[in-house]
Amino acid sequence: MPRALVLEQIRKLSLRDIDLPQEVGPHDVRIKIHTVGICGSDVHYYTHGRIGPFVVNAPMVLGHEAAGVVVETGKDVTHLKAGDRVCMEPGIPDANSRASRLGLYNIDPAVTFWATPPVHGVLTPHVVHPANYTYKLPDRVSFAEGAMVEPFAVGMQAAQKAKIAPGDTAVVTGAGPIGIMVAIAALAGGCARVIVADFAQPKLDIAAQYQGILPINIGKRDLAEEVKQLTEGWGADVVFECSGSPKAWETLLDLPRPGGAVVAVGLPVEPVGLDISTASTKEIRFETVFRYAHQYDRAIALMGSGRVDLKPLITETFPFEESVAAFDRAAEGRPGDVKLQITL
Ligand SMILES: [Zn+2]
């Protein structure tokens, strides 16, 4: 039996042997896992035992942001071979579902997603995965960066949904890992500048390393006022809400320009109120984001070209044997921590 990092129940993790399916079907590959990033969702299952309707009722292996090496291919797999360095999309939809046939496979109600109960994740030495959801990494993209493709794909989805035009000004509220990656994707998608707002100065300092990102500490300065000043009173073309804080929504509609867009990326735990009259008066366009579809190849292309460098976002790396300590560190939520990773 393989070893894995298992969430036994809320607040209880163990590194132990567990029975996991290892059979390689004709369209599957077996991957030796190299690096796994710790995601906010992994930590939330650890500390809260649930996310919305998804409840941890049985022991579950954590981890879904992974890169590794192909060690075995199913008999019908043609585009990958043993030795290929890869990263994987953690969500597997039903290919014949109505959502998948529309190209919206991320919102297929039948999708199974690593480390979303009751589906096991990949903090374990080997995993079997459909080859069609496994992507080759360019030589210049390391395993650590390969494990960043998953969260970056969320930023790519947000940037695409925003329909950015070259030269746009964007605002990102919330400078967590996803907020920063949304800002990076928005710049890659053509934004001239992205204002990133947060209370935590260490997070803003990390975001500000990227050319084009303007950090604003909302503990000290008024965001709407700053956006007005920077845009001569007009407002931002696109606003990405990435904090998931209901409070952010109270003043969010002060930020977009008339005819601008608001993209909801963060998921507030409670319903939020929204001033529809103000939104209508400005004809605000609303978009929502749930994970991503068709983003991995373009995310990898941007990283492979050198246009996007996510290495500054990797704060610290832990060995597999110290996985529990790594999760306890992540649960502390240190303001200077962006992405913690585990290597196997
Ligand atoms: Zn994630």
Side-chain angles (χ1 to χ4, degrees):
M1 276 201 290
R3 244 168 119 61
L5 182 72
V6 181
L7 177 59
E8 308 285 1
Q9 60 190 63
I10 181 168
R11 290 251 162 221
K12 188 171 187 307
L13 285 170
S14 54
L15 204 53
R16 66 160 166 97
D17 294 346
I18 185 170
D19 196 18
L20 296 170
Q22 293 287 322
E23 195 193 327
V24 180
H27 302 285
D28 294 336
V29 290
R30 185 204 301 275
I31 299 136
K32 184 177 189 303
I33 299 289
H34 185 286
T35 302
V36 180
I38 300 178
C39 180
S41 69
D42 294 313
V43 177
H44 202 86
Y45 284 123
Y46 176 36
T47 55
H48 291 74
R50 65 180 300 155
I51 295 178
F54 299 104
V55 183
V56 179
N57 288 319
M60 176 179 81
V61 178
L62 289 173
H64 63 263
E65 304 178 355
V69 179
V70 173
V71 291
E72 186 183 344
T73 56
K75 70 174 177 52
D76 294 337
V77 174
T78 53
H79 75 287
L80 292 170
K81 58 180 189 317
D84 283 344
R85 301 164 63 257
V86 293
C87 67
M88 294 74 78
E89 256 191 87
I92 310 169
D94 168 1
N96 293 313
S97 71
R98 193 161 179 170
S100 294
R101 285 183 286 125
L102 283 166
L104 305 170
Y105 64 88
N106 56 321
I107 47 172
D108 175 14
V111 74
T112 62
F113 197 95
W114 285 340
T116 301
V119 181
H120 286 304
V122 294
L123 269 161
T124 186
H126 289 90
V127 65
V128 175
H129 201 58
N132 283 343
Y133 294 86
T134 303
Y135 298 80
K136 247 178 109 155
L137 295 173
D139 289 343
R140 69 182 287 168
V141 176
S142 65
F143 289 117
E145 295 167 271
M148 297 290 273
V149 172
E150 197 276 335
F152 185 51
V154 178
M156 296 286 292
Q157 179 87 354
Q160 185 175 340
K161 288 288 238 3
K163 301 190 180 79
I164 292 162
D168 272 355
T169 294
V171 176
V172 170
T173 50
I178 292 293
I180 296 177
M181 281 191 258
V182 166
I184 293 168
L187 288 167
C191 280
R193 54 187 175 170
V194 180
I195 298 154
V196 174
D198 202 291
F199 291 103
Q201 193 59 42
K203 291 181 198 291
L204 292 170
D205 291 343
I206 292 160
Q209 294 175 67
Y210 289 91
Q211 197 187 353
I213 291 185
L214 311 178
I216 291 190
N217 187 324
I218 48 174
K220 296 180 182 147
R221 286 147 76 189
D222 183 81
L223 179 59
E225 214 35 64
E226 299 281 340
V227 171
K228 270 205 188 82
Q229 253 174 41
L230 287 162
T231 59
E232 292 167 338
W234 178 233
D237 301 293
V238 183
V239 177
F240 297 96
E241 204 309 287
C242 300
S243 72
S245 157
K247 193 117 185 71
W249 284 95
E250 288 174 13
T251 51
L252 203 72
L253 296 180
D254 297 339
L255 307 176
R257 66 167 168 83
V262 167
V263 184
V265 183
L267 301 175
V269 288
E270 312 254 300
V272 297
L274 196 59
D275 179 0
I276 297 296
S277 300
T278 299
S280 294
T281 313
K282 290 168 93 171
E283 279 204 342
I284 300 303
R285 174 169 58 88
F286 283 97
E287 299 283 353
T288 52
V289 170
F290 185 65
R291 297 169 181 160
Y292 38 76
H294 309 291
Q295 301 297 344
Y296 263 53
D297 46 0
R298 279 176 293 113
I300 292 167
L302 273 171
M303 292 163 74
S305 74
R307 292 268 319 279
V308 163
D309 178 10
L310 301 177
K311 289 191 291 291
L313 305 182
I314 301 166
T315 310
E316 206 166 317
T317 305
F318 295 76
F320 185 47
E321 288 306 313
E322 289 170 26
S323 291
V324 177
F327 268 77
D328 285 332
R329 161 79 172 267
E332 278 178 44
R334 296 187 194 175
D337 285 352
V338 183
K339 180 60 69 181
L340 304 178
Q341 292 187 329
I342 294 170
T343 51
L344 283 87

